[in-house]
Amino acid sequence: MNNKKLLVTGGAGFIGANFVHYWLANNPNDTVIVLDALTYAGNKANLDPVSENPNFTFVHGNICDTPLVEQLLKEHALTTIVHFAAESHVDRSITGPDAFIETNILGTYSLLKAAKKVWIDEPVSKGEQATEHRFHHVSTDEVYGTLSATDPAFTEETAYAPNSPYSASKAASDHLVRAYHHTYGLQVTTSNCSNNYGPYHFPEKLIPLIVTNILNDKPLPVYGDGQQIRDWLYVEDHARGIELVLKKGRVGENYNIGGNNEWANIDIVNLVCKQMNEKFEANPNLANKYPEAVKVIAGKSAELITYVQDRAGHDRRYAIDATKTNNELGYVPVESFETGFAKTLDWYLANDDWWKSVLSGDYQDVLR
């Protein structure tokens, strides 16, 4: 499918926006329509780098609005859906699961209904062949459950065992996508990724939370003993992996996209502290820019670390085995953790207007 026309749901969120930046930079002749409801984690400013691109259009709307999705597919002759839109914060899913059920399950169902109607049902009813299309569903490694320290990493054959309302809602949406392929012939692919990090990451997630709290001289919350292990993936490498799935992936298949980069949470926090101390020491202008960052100015960021009660049902370890994606599609992360992490910290230090604006929102109750 040359000169793709994409509908990107949730494209004003962290991963979605980075995907849009990447796609338009590397596929300049393609059309990208972003559909985003701009809930608390959606930020239209995330799309400023592409706002003047003539091949980009932003639509403020909800994926649960099936008629709107149908209208967009028809009006723009869209042939690809890349579905990022999701509620994704585990803590929020524990205290308020309703939004996760509505967006992640019912929203995905709404998109599938619209895609089936426009790409399959209506052409066939006219005696035509179904439109060549692709519905790509972006999922998470959390649907696989938890691993012990010695368990092998998750593969695409690992049985689903979600442990939080968030991961259960994503697992349900994965199953719906699979069902629409096997029952109705919808041309689908699914990718399951590990923890992303990078620019535009919403500051309730671990790395940006630690960075912004250091700059505001606030406590750095660490759940339990901090030994929860995650595989970390630079967000542009995730976008690159999805591009490979769209261009080379087999219809009906799942592909794991990981960073080959396992770290314990407490080690991530200590690394942020160490590198922030070094950056402030090397650049005296940072102390002038962030005068309230007392601890890091003194080279003592780690003194802000505060252990808090572990969250309910906290999975101990996630790890992605991306062998299938590597062998079939040639996927290899471009960024090492060292290069990606340095880019991420530099971005937050240079873009305080962005994160300060985000932090002025109404979600500060979850930042502990």
Side-chain angles (χ1 to χ4, degrees):
M1 291 185 287
N2 296 323
N3 293 339
K4 287 182 170 59
K5 296 184 176 182
L6 289 75
L7 176 66
V8 179
T9 71
F14 161 50
I15 303 177
N18 276 282
F19 173 82
V20 171
H21 303 165
Y22 174 86
W23 192 273
L24 287 171
N26 290 276
N27 302 274
N29 296 320
D30 288 358
T31 298
V32 173
I33 311 295
V34 165
L35 175 63
D36 200 296
L38 296 180
T39 55
Y40 80 97
N43 185 350
K44 197 175 178 182
N46 295 354
L47 294 165
D48 284 350
V50 298
S51 61
E52 300 302 319
N53 190 314
N55 292 334
F56 166 78
T57 301
F58 177 82
V59 177
H60 185 195
N62 196 306
I63 59 172
C64 292
D65 185 348
T66 310
L68 172 61
V69 177
E70 293 175 9
Q71 175 190 336
L72 292 174
L73 294 176
K74 294 176 182 178
E75 179 182 337
H76 298 279
L78 302 174
T79 54
T80 301
I81 293 175
V82 186
H83 177 32
F84 291 97
E87 295 285 347
S88 65
H89 194 247
V90 176
D91 288 1
R92 288 178 178 269
S93 82
I94 294 169
T95 58
D98 288 10
F100 291 74
I101 304 304
E102 179 176 354
T103 299
N104 299 355
I105 301 177
L106 297 180
T108 301
Y109 175 52
S110 169
L111 291 171
L112 290 166
K113 284 195 299 181
K116 173 178 174 286
K117 180 178 179 181
V118 174
W119 290 339
I120 298 176
D121 295 346
E122 292 184 351
V124 170
S125 70
K126 298 175 184 176
E128 303 171 357
Q129 287 189 332
T131 305
E132 185 182 3
H133 63 270
R134 177 70 64 87
F135 185 111
H136 181 73
H137 178 56
V138 181
S139 190
T140 171
D141 56 2
E142 296 192 37
V143 298
Y144 297 124
T146 187
L147 296 169
S148 74
T150 58
D151 284 336
F154 301 128
T155 72
E156 290 83 356
E157 303 303 317
T158 302
Y160 277 27
N163 291 317
S164 70
Y166 161 62
S167 56
S169 67
K170 288 298 290 184
S173 66
D174 292 7
H175 292 319
L176 280 171
V177 172
R178 174 185 170 86
Y180 262 69
H181 170 63
H182 286 279
T183 302
Y184 304 113
L186 196 69
Q187 297 170 10
V188 309
T189 43
T190 296
S191 56
N192 297 79
C193 70
S194 52
N195 277 32
N196 282 220
Y197 70 99
Y200 300 101
H201 203 175
F202 197 70
E204 69 184 356
K205 301 299 180 77
L206 179 64
I207 291 176
L209 172 62
I210 298 305
V211 171
T212 55
N213 276 18
I214 287 173
L215 295 174
N216 285 308
D217 213 45
K218 292 182 177 181
L220 311 180
V222 176
Y223 279 128
D225 61 5
Q227 293 301 319
Q228 303 86 3
I229 295 172
R230 302 292 182 261
D231 174 30
W232 290 90
L233 172 67
Y234 190 64
V235 66
E236 188 171 289
D237 280 326
H238 186 191
R240 186 175 293 106
I242 293 173
E243 179 185 38
L244 288 169
V245 175
L246 287 171
K247 293 183 175 181
K248 299 181 179 181
R250 290 181 290 140
V251 170
E253 291 293 313
N254 285 50
Y255 293 94
N256 282 349
I257 302 175
N260 302 320
N261 181 46
E262 292 185 53
W263 283 72
N265 285 349
I266 186 60
D267 294 334
I268 289 285
V269 174
N270 279 316
L271 180 64
V272 175
C273 291
K274 177 177 180 293
Q275 292 205 6
M276 290 287 279
N277 289 344
E278 292 171 352
K279 287 182 182 296
F280 270 73
E281 182 179 6
N283 184 358
N285 291 329
L286 289 175
N288 297 326
K289 185 176 184 180
Y290 299 103
E292 63 275 21
V294 177
K295 290 293 187 183
V296 69
I297 291 171
K300 299 178 179 180
S301 295
E303 292 183 1
L304 294 169
I305 294 174
T306 304
Y307 288 88
V308 299
Q309 183 177 354
D310 209 353
R311 71 178 177 216
H314 200 173
D315 290 334
R316 196 63 172 172
R317 173 176 168 246
Y318 307 136
I320 281 285
D321 182 342
T323 300
K324 174 182 175 180
T325 312
N326 176 266
N327 289 344
E328 288 193 16
L329 311 180
Y331 166 77
V332 178
V334 170
E335 297 291 345
S336 68
F337 191 56
E338 289 73 18
T339 60
F341 199 73
K343 287 181 178 181
T344 300
L345 294 189
D346 287 342
W347 189 89
Y348 277 92
L349 289 169
N351 289 274
D352 54 307
D353 286 348
W354 179 87
W355 59 260
K356 285 178 179 177
S357 174
V358 172
L359 284 171
S360 68
D362 61 358
Y363 67 92
Q364 295 182 26
D365 59 305
V366 305
L367 299 179
R368 293 188 289 158

